[in-house]
Amino acid sequence: MKYFLTFITFLFFVENTFSIPAFARKYQYSCTTCHAPAPRLKPFGDDFAGRGFRLEDPSQEPARATIDTGDPMLKLLREFPLAVRIDGFASYKEDAEAETDFQWPWAFKILSGGVLSEKVSYYFYYIIEKGGESGLEDAYLQFNKPLGLPFDLLFGQFQISDPLFKRELRLEKNDYMIYKVSPGYSSANLTYDRGIMASSSLGSGIDFILGIYNGSGLQEAKGPTNDYDIDKDKSFSLRLAKEFGPLRFGLFSYLGKEKKGFSGVFKNKYYYYGPDLIIDFNQNLQINLQYLIRKDDKGILGIDPFDATVKEIKTEGGFVEIVWLPKGLEGRWAYVILYNKINSDDKNSVFENISFTMNYLIARNIRFLAEVEDDLENEKLKFIIGISSAF
């Protein structure tokens, strides 16, 4: 039933969506204004999103985009901004049960975002992924300088790792694995959660981000009181970053707790810390580096809560990503090398791979990719070709 409703929603808005993505339609800009190539953001696109999907100069906002209701406290969009993204692949995997596999569609997303008032905006997307898994992922309200305070607020659900490197914006199918790893019996990582994130500038080019989260991921509401959170504890992140010309250097820390084991008898306290670095050599070459250390003070090894080994678990690793645009930001070609390495006391969390991805823009909103990935830990190769399209 839920897939049928999603499909009906898509058909209802299809007249407006089969063109170019929502923000480009609103401002009548090319995708290249914000992306190079899509979904990777240029600085202009990053700033545009940071302002709540609005231009720096309010006088440049198109009057046609909103309806004049005669009420200065009501800002209604003339057309509901909606966009669709479809990704699909064909793959070959060594020693897999199905060596060749047609993975279309791999991900189907319905996205929307826009302004609700002078200081409030929203963003969400609904995804059907891997042929069946579905639900809301990003879904938040953004408050810019609420009550005149010197910071912006994000409220809702989003990825804890977003202030570092946004997984949704990468050009490769291979992922940033250090954000996804959950050592031992833990279910905590740096992907999606619900909470509040405050961001501000401390001066001298230093950006400050503080996050408070449930610490339980995207759990469904449970219990007699229908709570998303599964315990009384909250989790916290702190992020500092500064730009030095073509370099952006950041420091990140995260502290959380979770109840694990039979009847929640073990309370695991875990924390992350580590640096990240972006090096922009020019408009053609960028190097991204992430290194994180995670420690679980009462991690549980194994999956049987009646027979589990409780110990301190240390996990460390990160990634190096190289993005090369041989023809610059306006070119059709983009090449990406991504290397992941994770060491852990939990042998099931040890990971190492490297991938090379070639991207070619068939159109500004249709991207072809070919990727080869070498699983260095298990000595297996994977080959992928695919299409990512947005409209």
Side-chain angles (χ1 to χ4, degrees), residues 53-260:
F53 313 114
R54 66 191 82 213
L55 298 176
E56 185 174 13
D57 183 357
S59 66
Q60 294 182 355
E61 290 289 330
R64 66 181 181 279
T66 56
I67 298 173
D68 184 4
T69 63
D71 185 347
M73 291 185 64
L74 181 60
K75 191 179 186 71
L76 284 181
L77 298 173
R78 185 175 298 276
E79 296 179 354
F80 186 67
L82 200 72
V84 171
R85 175 175 169 180
I86 303 178
D87 297 345
F89 308 96
S91 70
Y92 169 81
K93 304 174 186 177
E94 277 190 335
D95 300 327
E97 185 173 345
E99 286 190 332
T100 58
D101 188 22
F102 297 110
Q103 301 172 344
W104 183 274
W106 181 258
F108 174 85
K109 299 179 182 180
I110 298 177
L111 311 94
S112 182
V115 298
L116 297 176
S117 73
E118 296 302 323
K119 294 184 178 294
V120 183
S121 55
Y122 77 95
Y123 179 77
F124 74 82
Y125 70 80
Y126 184 91
I127 183 171
I128 301 174
E129 190 174 23
K130 301 179 183 178
E133 299 176 14
S134 64
L136 281 171
E137 290 195 343
D138 282 314
Y140 59 80
L141 291 176
Q142 182 170 332
F143 301 84
N144 291 88
K145 307 296 185 294
L147 303 176
L149 297 172
F151 54 81
D152 298 332
L153 283 179
L154 218 62
F155 174 71
Q157 70 184 40
F158 40 81
Q159 299 201 62
I160 300 169
S161 59
D162 275 349
L164 303 170
F165 295 98
K166 292 180 171 61
R167 294 175 55 236
E168 296 298 324
L169 302 183
R170 68 190 191 279
L171 297 175
E172 61 272 37
K173 190 171 185 290
N174 193 12
D175 211 336
Y176 305 146
M177 300 307 296
I178 192 63
Y179 299 155
K180 298 175 63 177
V181 66
S182 301
Y185 196 51
S186 173
S187 58
N189 57 34
L190 297 181
T191 59
Y192 284 98
D193 210 328
R194 299 181 174 100
I196 300 174
M197 189 179 291
S199 60
S200 183
S201 176
L202 300 180
S204 301
I206 300 175
D207 294 324
F208 167 89
I209 300 177
L210 175 67
I212 305 174
Y213 319 94
N214 281 342
S216 54
L218 298 189
Q219 299 271 353
E220 295 182 7
K222 296 179 180 179
T225 55
N226 284 323
D227 294 321
Y228 280 140
D229 205 349
I230 58 176
D231 55 41
K232 65 180 181 181
D233 297 307
K234 293 295 184 241
S235 300
F236 303 88
S237 71
L238 176 63
R239 154 88 170 159
L240 295 172
K242 180 176 174 58
E243 291 190 4
F244 301 89
L247 278 69
R248 188 203 73 181
F249 177 74
L251 293 172
F252 176 79
S253 62
Y254 179 74
L255 174 65
K257 294 181 181 179
E258 61 180 343
K259 290 182 179 179
K260 303 304 297 182

Side-chain angles (χ1 to χ4, degrees), residues 10-41:
F10 169 68
L11 290 180
F12 181 78
F13 290 107
V14 74
E15 181 179 354
N16 290 328
T17 59
F18 276 96
S19 180
I20 53 177
F23 298 135
R25 281 193 293 274
K26 175 182 176 180
Y27 295 101
Q28 299 183 4
Y29 287 165
S30 168
C31 302
T32 59
T33 306
C34 291
H35 300 282
R40 180 176 178 264
L41 285 177

